[in-house]
């Protein structure tokens, strides 16, 4: 089955620790995205990548880092510099590189809780 | 400032009743318009989208949406809601290589 997988589904972190969220797609999509979802705030873009070895900051990139070494993979690291990391994180991908018009395909999400 | 607004945070409807979810946008030109649905604990799935042409757009799961330029709106409708439609619904707006999502409307379906 083609799709996007995210792991783990639930993640607990102690304050001061970095954690990495996995996102893999087998849709052969060029573009990939990371969003953060908080209640009542919709989706906010953290980072996006439109091609391998290139990525751009979104609206709330502070305290996060990404890499795009392979087309199918776009891991997100939540660093200790992120002041309020507890949230639901969604990864998405799309075929082309026009964020205005592309349908985005979403993974099932990772819920991160900082203890 | 450019924005997308979903005025209703939470809506409750009875099963079998009709549904309308509101979406308004504020952009200089007509943007590209989308509706996505998110089931609890899941990612988002595209319901429908509007780029141009017929202002009434049909989507999956029996949903439709109507673009009204004069009102800067793109409201989502369904004639008869099923219990499985309970979810969160997001309007999204694409413009100038950017995509913005509304805050979402949570739909509860009463038996």
């Amino acid at each position: 089955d083609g799709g996007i997988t995210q792991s783990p589904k639930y993640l607990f972190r102690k304050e001061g620790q970095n954690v990495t969220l996995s996102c893999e797609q087998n849709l052969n999509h060029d573009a990939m995205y990371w969003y953060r979802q908080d209640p009542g705030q919709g989706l906010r873009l953290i980072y996006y990548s439109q091609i391998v070895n290139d990525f751009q900051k979104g609206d709330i990139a502070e305290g996060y880092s990404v890499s795009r070494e392979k087309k199918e993979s776009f891991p997100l690291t939540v660093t200790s510099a992120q002041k309020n990391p507890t949230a639901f994180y969604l990864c998405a991908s799309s075929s082309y590189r026009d964020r205005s018009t592309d349908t985005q395909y979403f993974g099932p999400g990772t819920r991160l809780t900082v203890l | 400032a450019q924005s997308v607004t979903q005025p209703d945070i939470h809506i409750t409807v009875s099963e079998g009743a009709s549904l309308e979810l509101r979406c308004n946008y504020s952009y200089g030109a007509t943007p590209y318009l989308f509706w996505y649905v998110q089931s609890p604990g899941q990612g988002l799935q595209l319901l429908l989208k509007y780029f141009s042409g017929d202002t009434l757009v049909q989507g999956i799961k029996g949903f439709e949406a109507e673009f009204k330029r004069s009102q800067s709106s793109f409201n989502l409708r369904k004639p008869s809601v099923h219990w499985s439609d309970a979810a969160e619904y997001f309007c999204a707006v694409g413009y100038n290589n950017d995509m913005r999502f509304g805050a979402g409307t949570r739909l509860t379906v009463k038996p």
Side-chain angles (χ1 to χ4, degrees):
Chain A
D1 278 342
I4 300 179
T5 57
Q6 292 186 241
S7 61
K9 189 172 179 65
Y10 298 97
L11 186 57
F12 298 90
R13 187 194 95 174
K14 293 181 180 178
E15 283 193 26
Q17 287 182 337
N18 292 355
V19 289
T20 297
L21 283 58
S22 169
C23 177
E24 304 274 334
Q25 55 100 357
N26 61 5
L27 300 168
N28 199 32
H29 285 171
D30 282 321
M32 296 187 74
Y33 312 84
W34 274 106
Y35 292 93
R36 172 179 170 139
Q37 185 177 14
D38 297 284
Q41 296 195 46
L43 278 67
R44 292 182 290 168
L45 184 65
I46 304 172
Y47 270 97
Y48 66 98
S49 168
Q50 295 179 310
I51 196 170
V52 173
N53 292 322
D54 187 44
F55 47 82
Q56 308 295 327
K57 291 182 179 180
D59 298 321
I60 56 165
E62 184 176 350
Y64 300 97
S65 66
V66 293
S67 62
R68 186 86 186 277
E69 297 175 1
K70 299 186 296 183
K71 187 175 184 177
E72 58 270 22
S73 178
F74 191 41
L76 173 74
T77 296
V78 184
T79 75
S80 56
Q82 169 48 234
K83 291 183 172 52
N84 184 21
T86 294
F88 190 56
Y89 291 87
L90 286 164
C91 178
S93 69
S94 65
S95 300
Y96 304 107
R97 302 173 193 175
D98 186 342
R99 293 168 54 213
S100 311
T101 56
D102 287 354
T103 296
Q104 294 187 24
Y105 296 82
F106 286 81
T110 292
R111 185 164 299 281
L112 172 63
T113 303
V114 174
L115 303 174
Chain B
Q2 296 174 335
S3 65
V4 53
T5 303
Q6 293 181 247
D8 304 304
I9 295 172
H10 184 207
I11 284 182
T12 299
V13 300
S14 297
E15 192 168 14
S18 64
L19 171 70
E20 182 167 23
L21 302 181
R22 296 183 290 163
C23 174
N24 296 97
Y25 61 89
S26 175
Y27 281 75
T30 299
Y32 304 106
L33 299 161
F34 303 78
W35 275 99
Y36 284 85
V37 61
Q38 183 182 32
S39 297
Q42 298 297 315
L44 280 67
Q45 179 185 22
L46 180 72
L47 284 174
L48 47 78
K49 60 186 176 184
Y50 174 78
F51 288 0
S52 65
D54 191 344
T55 57
L56 186 62
V57 181
Q58 301 298 319
I60 62 171
K61 302 177 188 273
F63 285 92
E64 65 179 26
E66 186 172 13
F67 167 63
K68 292 187 177 179
R69 185 189 305 274
S70 61
Q71 298 179 18
S72 297
S73 70
F74 188 55
N75 293 349
L76 182 72
R77 302 194 295 242
K78 188 169 185 178
S80 176
V81 169
H82 187 262
W83 64 266
S84 60
D85 293 323
E88 187 146 20
Y89 292 80
F90 292 92
C91 180
V93 174
Y95 185 79
N96 197 25
N97 198 31
D98 190 24
M99 176 74 71
R100 298 284 161 172
F101 289 83
T105 297
R106 186 162 61 93
L107 174 65
T108 298
V109 181
K110 293 192 302 185

